[in-house]
Amino acid sequence: MTDTETNTPGEDLREETAAAAPEVAEHDRVAELEAQLADAKQQTLYAQAETQNVRRRAEKDAADARAYAATAFARDVLSVNDNLERALAAIPADLREDEKLKGLITGLEATGRELTSVFQRHGLTRIEAMGQPLDPNRHQAMVEMPSDAEPGTIVQEMQSGWMIRDRLLRPSLVGVAKKPA
């Protein structure tokens, strides 16, 4: 008797299915593991990207901290500069020529130049205001004044404005031209 004679047709099918079952189960398991691997790779890429973003943000924050660390100190020193400029401006011309005061005035002017030099070394720059159109990002209008100048043009500077690198440290306090009545 041959093999086909001893087995019934249904038995042959069951034997083939049983033999194929481990292959199907193994194939499903491989597919599942490949999906898990792909998911793990994707999560790793996201984690690496997030780590890189955090590192870049930290580097930018550190650079900003170095660049703008002196902001509060600079604001305080600006008031010293303002007072020095007011003192020099208040000295009348006849006293400037007085030999007794000439040394004092020269010393005050040298101090002002040195202060300006220190400001420049640390990235502080004075905002030009006189004759410029009002820029609300750099100037603060305190009064409107009748003037022959174009309306909106700065005709008086009450307090100088300053930038620290590309940031506003203190706006200029200004008087702005308006049409005469």
Side-chain angles (χ1 to χ4, degrees), residues 4 10 12 22 31 38 52-53 57 75 85 96 104 111 115 117 123-124 129 142 150 154 173 178-179:
T4 54
D12 287 337
Q52 188 176 22
N53 288 339
R57 266 185 259 131
R75 278 193 188 105
E85 287 177 355
R96 285 183 179 272
L104 174 64
T111 302
L115 197 51
S117 173
L124 275 74
M142 302 303 290
E150 182 74 25
I154 297 171
L173 303 182
K178 70 175 185 177
K179 290 182 181 177

Side-chain angles (χ1 to χ4, degrees), residues 19-74:
E23 284 182 22
V24 170
E26 188 176 317
H27 179 51
D28 288 346
R29 178 75 177 139
V30 168
E32 180 184 329
L33 290 173
E34 286 176 347
Q36 288 176 355
L37 178 62
D39 185 48
K41 283 182 180 178
Q42 191 67 33
Q43 288 178 0
T44 301
L45 288 174
Y46 285 142
Q48 287 173 342
E50 181 62 25
T51 301
Q52 188 176 22
N53 288 339
V54 167
R55 183 182 49 80
R56 283 183 185 151
R57 266 185 259 131
E59 287 172 356
K60 184 184 180 312
D61 290 347
D64 284 351
R66 283 188 299 274
Y68 303 107
T71 299
F73 179 73

Side-chain angles (χ1 to χ4, degrees), residues 3 12-13 19 36-37 43 45 51 62 67 74 80 82 88-89 95 104 112 123 131 134-135 137 161 167 181:
D3 285 335
D12 287 337
L13 185 60
Q36 288 176 355
L37 178 62
Q43 288 178 0
L45 288 174
T51 301
V80 173
D82 293 340
L88 286 168
L95 287 180
L104 174 64
L134 179 70
D135 178 356
N137 296 315
R167 290 186 184 173

Side-chain angles (χ1 to χ4, degrees), residues 53-164:
N53 288 339
V54 167
R55 183 182 49 80
R56 283 183 185 151
R57 266 185 259 131
E59 287 172 356
K60 184 184 180 312
D61 290 347
D64 284 351
R66 283 188 299 274
Y68 303 107
T71 299
F73 179 73
R75 278 193 188 105
D76 291 343
V77 174
L78 285 177
S79 65
V80 173
N81 184 62
D82 293 340
N83 288 333
L84 181 60
E85 287 177 355
R86 282 188 213 107
L88 286 168
I91 300 171
D94 59 329
L95 287 180
R96 285 183 179 272
E97 299 304 318
D98 188 347
E99 289 300 319
K100 293 178 188 174
L101 296 177
K102 215 169 206 166
L104 174 64
I105 294 169
T106 302
L108 289 173
E109 290 170 341
T111 302
R113 286 190 302 275
E114 180 64 23
L115 197 51
T116 300
S117 173
V118 169
F119 286 165
Q120 288 175 348
R121 279 196 308 267
H122 293 280
L124 275 74
T125 54
R126 184 182 288 248
I127 296 171
E128 291 298 320
M130 289 300 293
Q132 302 291 317
L134 179 70
D135 178 356
N137 296 315
R138 304 176 112 202
H139 308 124
Q140 184 174 345
M142 302 303 290
V143 296
E144 283 189 318
M145 307 171 77
S147 174
D148 293 335
E150 182 74 25
T153 301
I154 297 171
V155 292
Q156 181 183 9
E157 183 178 46
M158 294 143 194
Q159 184 179 50
S160 61
W162 291 82
M163 301 286 291
I164 183 167

